[in-house]
Amino acid sequence: MNGLHGIIFSYEKRNEMQELGQIRSAASIPFGGRYRAVDFALSSLVNAGCTDVGIVLHGHYQSLLDHLGTGKAWDLSRKRGGLRMLPPFNYQQSWGAMPFRGHMEALAGVRSYLDTIRQDYVALMDGDLVANLPLGDIFESHVKSGADITAVCGNDSFATDDGTYFEISDGRVTEVLYNLHRPRGYRGLEVYIVSTKLLKEMVDECTAKDQYSWRRDVLQARKDELYLRSYIWSGFAAQMRSVKEYYDRSMQLLDPAIRAELFTPARPVRAKGDDKSSTYVGPEGVCVNSLVAEGCRIEGVVENSILFAGVNVAKGAVVRDSVLFKGTEIQGGAKLAYVICDKDVKVQENRTLMGHATYPIVVAKGSIV
Amino acid sequence: MKKECIAMLLAGGQGSRLYVLTGDMAKPAVPFGGKYRIIDFPLSNCTNSGIDTVGVLTQYRPLELNSYIGSGLPWDLDGSTGGVHILPPYMGSKGGTWYKGTANAIYQNIGFIDLYDPEYVVILSGDHIYKMDYSDMVKRHKEAGAACTISVMEVPWEEAPRFGIMSVNGEDMITEFAEKPKEPKSNLASMGIYVFSWKTLRQYLTDDEANPESENDFGKNIIPTMLGDGQRMAAYRFAGYWKDVGTLDSLWDANMDMLSPTSGLDLTDDSWPIYARSVNAPPAFLGGDAKVTHSAINRGSILEGTVENSVLSSNVTVGAGARVSYSVLLPGTVVEPGAVVEYAILGEGCRVGRDCRVGGSPEADSADTWGGLTVLAPGCRLEDGREVRPGIMLGKNAEEVSK
């Protein structure tokens, strides 16, 4: 127990994930061949010595519950603390049935849980962020700085759908912006460190005024009154909010430098194991510039692609620039380019699916093409 | 806690015929098939057969095996009643001894077995690759009203002298047992898998222990004595894939069998999964110039060169321009750019330097000069450009070791 508590938000929000986002919350979107987005937040927390993590859930969370189980894979299955699932249990008005309108409403929905937090500080994180953050350092510098809230910001040219942007001067947040037509400032990663005491005060205050938005009613409204500090993270940080963003960010993993940074042995990204056998590449199989998980069978051609566990690419099939989720089956003679196949998709013989780098095609879970 | 059936797994094998490859571990902890260790097979078979209590008898260099088994979680053997238990030799108030033989190992753990008061005890060994439903064997044991049931498989007649051979009557009850007979009367070989009725076995173990002449071994003492006493001994016929991987050649063969669907070793069947404690690493990456064919690969690997007809474990690196053929690379092996590895088994964490040549192929050598598999001990590091001839075995300091 090191004084930092984790809260991960995983509830439905406006996004452009098409079929990928209809059946699951963004936190359980598969990424990088064997991970779910939430694995990165959980690993960042656990690698920072965090022992207690609550996950705020609402809507389509079956997939996430299946994935997390007891939290064993992250050493979060504990007698005291560990992983806590937080569906909306403090019903008020229509919170049970309607999606949360913002983080403050979501926190109000689990208000009694906040009172059980044993740690003095809380890291608030969005479940749709893929980044291997040095949360231990971020936490330490937050405490040292005496800031009220530290906002972690990305430092790359990527924009994200419905992103929050910060203007920063001398490490201090001077402006909080969103709904920007043309993004400016630093992209917020929606990771914040705040003291448990202040967080509870703010939740109660917002509830009393029927305010639900963290960025509008807390960050924007109180930026002059509170000390809002920024922490700039220059490493890989992807927010899974549109198909295009998902695709571009996935393809970045084929770059060895990005993999080396995201999967640094100093902060291992933990994920649930798969009980699959080794991947087999057949005598005529070709597999180049690709990431391949366990239990695949590759008899055809695979190029510039990411294959999750148990993918089957038959002889004569050609898969290029695509992301194939767990259990995808590509039959002989089929041709795919710029396609994202959700779980258990079957593409039958001699079918052709062609997207483009600017418009990858999504095939919904379980579809037969 | 009463259990109908528990399993005892003899995992004390030194693995001396695997020579340097076992390094500091017991044979059942030796990696197999890219992501498994040998002991995953009997442990997974137990779980899949509905046996939830397994005692694992260890004595040689058990550290790696103990930490691998841990709580038994990967095999679902971490239940609150039963689960997997490591059973090393121990000291009692009247002293204690090393496990003298397979039967003595069980004898010393009578106390453990009595805790569960089982009707039947399945005795397994930790050095075979196979998938078997032990519950079907127990069913055969019950139906035959046997005191002991031994699983057997047909082997080619010419190989029969290498095995313990059972002769059976028309009801497949065992009438005769011969350990490595020069002139076998049958080709039914014992697979070293036994089901005993515990009350009967308990008595035989106690009597056997009291006999100073005995070697305290199942095959040499317990089975022949029971047969001599006229106990009902049933044979249980097994027809699937089974391989003793106690030698370097057989270990290599079994790895190659995994690649070929005709061998009968299918590890992709979801109805009988083989579980393993998996390492945590990102998926394997195959580079732009990688040529990987007819091979098994695993997570954490970065492959830039040529890999053909090989089994690669997790976290293996094959550099650009390197070639690995007909080889088995255990976890964490690094093959630097330009190196060639053929017909070899590389132990855990080996490093083959740039432009090394390790092993050779039987096609390139004539039959009389072909030395066989080349083997590197775990942790062996070869300096750049070194040549290791076929059949050579190197220890962990890259010194030559004789087989």
Side-chain angles (χ1 to χ4, degrees):
Chain A
M1 198 169 110
N2 74 338
L4 186 65
H5 186 97
I7 293 183
I8 298 174
F9 295 97
S10 173
Y11 56 85
E12 62 269 60
K13 281 193 300 192
R14 186 190 96 194
N15 68 46
E16 306 292 330
M17 292 293 277
Q18 301 174 19
E19 287 93 336
L20 299 177
Q22 284 169 12
I23 51 163
R24 54 172 81 86
S25 58
S28 61
I29 187 92
F31 187 80
R34 68 168 291 229
Y35 304 95
R36 302 285 186 139
V38 74
D39 294 346
F40 293 87
L42 285 171
S43 299
S44 295
L45 286 165
V46 168
N47 288 331
C50 188
T51 56
D52 297 7
V53 179
I55 303 203
V56 180
L57 303 165
H58 195 295
H60 296 298
Y61 53 73
Q62 178 66 47
S63 146
L64 187 66
L65 292 182
D66 281 350
H67 176 66
L68 295 173
T70 61
K72 188 85 189 162
W74 302 271
D75 284 344
L76 288 173
S77 174
R78 302 291 183 103
K79 274 187 188 283
R80 291 191 72 192
L83 190 67
R84 288 281 300 277
M85 302 296 175
L86 305 169
F89 49 75
N90 278 11
Y91 287 101
Q92 210 176 41
Q93 296 155 9
S94 56
W95 288 346
M98 299 291 286
F100 293 129
R101 289 172 294 171
H103 282 359
M104 295 317 275
E105 188 169 87
L107 288 169
V110 297
R111 179 62 184 81
S112 58
Y113 172 77
L114 300 181
D115 282 333
T116 68
I117 291 176
R118 300 185 287 166
Q119 292 83 3
D120 293 337
Y121 294 89
V122 178
L124 302 174
M125 307 180 81
D126 269 18
D128 63 4
L129 174 71
V130 174
N132 189 349
L133 296 173
L135 267 186
D137 297 346
I138 298 172
F139 175 43
E140 203 182 298
S141 66
H142 172 81
V143 174
K144 268 194 197 145
S145 71
D148 292 309
I149 299 174
T150 293
V152 182
C153 303
N155 190 15
D156 57 30
S157 56
F158 279 84
T160 192
D161 189 60
D162 194 25
T164 311
Y165 294 85
F166 297 101
E167 286 182 350
I168 293 165
S169 163
D170 259 354
R172 196 171 172 135
V173 173
T174 54
E175 197 58 84
V176 182
L177 305 159
Y178 50 92
N179 292 339
L180 286 172
H181 181 61
R182 184 179 306 200
R184 62 173 194 267
Y186 290 86
R187 178 171 55 101
L189 302 183
E190 313 290 5
V191 174
Y192 304 94
I193 309 237
V194 58
S195 77
T196 312
K197 185 164 164 284
L198 179 61
L199 181 68
K200 288 196 282 193
E201 279 170 22
M202 292 187 301
V203 170
D204 294 342
E205 188 68 18
C206 285
T207 309
K209 296 176 183 165
D210 194 25
Q211 294 172 334
Y212 53 81
S213 166
W214 164 259
R215 61 186 179 187
R216 184 190 66 203
D217 302 324
V218 174
L219 296 183
Q220 224 171 35
R222 301 174 71 173
K223 69 177 165 44
D224 299 324
E225 159 199 345
L226 296 174
Y227 174 13
L228 298 191
R229 212 177 132 269
S230 61
Y231 180 100
I232 310 286
W233 168 244
S234 305
F236 184 88
Q239 286 157 302
M240 299 297 143
R241 295 179 178 178
S242 71
V243 168
K244 180 68 172 54
E245 186 169 21
Y246 176 82
Y247 179 81
D248 289 347
R249 295 306 215 148
S250 294
M251 287 301 149
Q252 275 191 291
L253 293 187
L254 299 180
D255 178 340
I258 288 190
R259 280 202 316 279
E261 187 270 303
L262 185 61
F263 299 119
T264 171
R267 295 188 302 277
V269 181
R270 306 178 192 207
K272 226 165 61 167
D274 265 311
D275 289 310
K276 296 268 184 200
S277 55
S278 309
T279 277
Y280 172 76
V281 186
E284 290 162 52
V286 173
C287 183
V288 292
N289 196 36
S290 296
L291 269 182
V292 182
E294 256 78 28
C296 296
R297 190 169 182 87
I298 301 170
E299 309 260 18
V301 175
V302 175
E303 265 182 39
N304 311 327
S305 295
I306 294 173
L307 272 54
F308 285 74
V311 169
N312 213 326
V313 179
K315 203 165 140 181
V318 179
V319 175
R320 291 201 169 93
D321 305 293
S322 294
V323 182
L324 308 183
F325 287 11
K326 195 168 172 178
T328 304
E329 185 185 338
I330 309 295
Q331 297 187 345
K335 292 190 168 43
L336 275 73
Y338 303 101
V339 175
I340 302 170
C341 287
D342 205 326
K343 284 170 78 174
D344 301 322
V345 162
K346 188 193 274 186
V347 180
Q348 293 184 313
E349 282 182 17
N350 303 319
R351 304 287 193 269
T352 300
L353 291 174
M354 297 278 169
H356 189 269
T358 57
Y359 191 84
I361 298 176
V362 175
V363 184
K365 181 177 172 182
S367 305
I368 297 174
V369 179
Chain B
M1 174 57 61
K2 172 90 181 159
K3 297 268 179 190
E4 191 195 20
C5 180
I6 72 168
M8 298 294 276
L9 175 52
L10 299 161
Q14 234 184 31
S16 50
R17 285 173 307 149
L18 291 176
Y19 303 96
V20 296
L21 200 60
T22 46
D24 291 324
M25 61 188 131
K27 182 161 61 170
V30 169
F32 173 81
K35 68 170 291 186
Y36 309 97
R37 294 182 186 248
I38 297 168
I39 198 166
D40 288 330
F41 287 80
L43 288 179
S44 301
N45 285 340
C46 282
T47 289
N48 292 335
S49 305
I51 296 174
D52 65 4
T53 307
V54 183
V56 178
L57 301 128
T58 62
Q59 65 185 358
Y60 290 102
R61 296 170 297 213
L63 181 65
E64 184 126 358
L65 190 63
N66 292 359
S67 62
Y68 184 69
I69 292 175
S71 68
L73 182 78
W75 306 272
D76 251 352
L77 290 172
D78 61 338
S80 51
T81 64
V84 62
H85 299 262
I86 304 272
L87 303 170
Y90 58 89
M91 298 294 286
S93 54
K94 295 175 195 153
T97 59
W98 208 231
Y99 293 151
K100 289 178 282 178
T102 50
N104 175 256
I106 304 294
Y107 172 81
Q108 291 201 36
N109 288 288
I110 283 179
F112 170 79
I113 300 174
D114 280 346
L115 282 180
Y116 298 98
D117 187 22
E119 298 300 314
Y120 311 105
V121 174
V122 183
I123 308 285
L124 305 168
S125 74
D127 39 17
H128 301 149
I129 302 295
Y130 66 111
K131 300 198 286 187
M132 184 197 264
D133 185 351
Y134 303 137
S135 66
D136 194 49
M137 185 172 168
V138 172
K139 186 162 151 258
R140 156 79 177 143
H141 180 85
K142 286 191 227 173
E143 283 169 2
C148 168
T149 300
I150 301 174
S151 84
V152 296
M153 64 186 298
E154 287 184 29
V155 295
W157 280 93
E158 62 274 18
E159 286 182 27
R162 298 200 293 118
F163 292 94
I165 293 296
M166 307 286 167
S167 303
V168 296
N169 64 18
E171 289 163 340
D172 265 355
M173 299 303 284
I174 296 164
T175 53
E176 208 180 320
F177 171 74
E179 184 70 32
K180 297 188 176 134
K182 285 203 178 68
E183 286 169 19
K185 292 181 188 166
S186 148
N187 67 338
L188 287 179
S190 165
M191 298 159 63
I193 300 162
Y194 313 105
V195 175
F196 288 98
S197 296
W198 173 233
K199 280 198 189 73
T200 314
L201 177 62
R202 198 180 191 286
Q203 188 57 49
Y204 273 92
L205 289 174
T206 312
D207 294 349
D208 180 67
E209 188 63 17
N211 175 7
E213 308 284 296
S214 173
E215 288 179 52
N216 309 116
D217 185 88
F218 276 102
K220 289 179 191 148
N221 309 104
I222 303 286
I223 305 291
T225 311
M226 287 179 80
L227 205 53
D229 290 354
Q231 292 282 357
R232 277 182 72 77
M233 312 277 280
Y236 172 77
R237 287 177 185 259
F238 177 77
Y241 184 92
W242 178 86
K243 195 162 212 119
D244 183 333
V245 287
T247 65
L248 292 168
D249 283 336
S250 64
L251 182 67
W252 183 89
D253 281 348
N255 272 288
M256 292 300 142
D257 285 344
M258 197 192 69
L259 295 178
S260 129
T262 54
S263 69
L265 179 59
D266 177 11
L267 301 181
T268 61
D269 174 12
D270 285 340
S271 69
W272 201 267
I274 301 300
Y275 301 108
R277 184 179 290 280
S278 52
V279 298
N280 184 37
F285 179 71
L286 291 82
D289 296 320
K291 287 192 193 68
V292 177
T293 48
H294 194 50
S295 294
I297 59 175
N298 277 283
R299 62 173 61 148
S301 297
I302 298 175
L303 311 175
E304 307 272 4
T306 300
V307 176
E308 46 193 26
N309 307 294
S310 294
V311 175
L312 273 52
S313 305
S314 54
N315 294 317
V316 166
T317 305
V318 177
R323 181 166 64 86
V324 174
S325 306
Y326 292 97
S327 294
V328 177
L329 274 51
L330 300 189
T333 307
V334 177
V335 178
E336 299 277 359
V340 176
V341 176
E342 290 178 298
Y343 287 86
I345 305 178
L346 308 187
E348 285 182 73
C350 280
R351 179 187 166 275
V352 174
R354 276 175 179 268
D355 305 316
C356 283
R357 277 201 65 92
V358 176
S361 74
E363 297 85 51
D365 273 36
S366 62
D368 37 314
T369 60
W370 167 241
L373 293 172
T374 306
V375 179
L376 303 192
C380 173
R381 302 176 80 81
L382 296 185
E383 72 272 24
D384 293 354
R386 178 151 171 194
E387 187 174 345
V388 183
R389 293 280 305 144
I392 299 293
M393 190 160 67
L394 298 183
K396 72 170 181 240
N397 300 318
E399 78 286 10
E400 212 170 299
V401 178
S402 60
K403 282 189 195 169

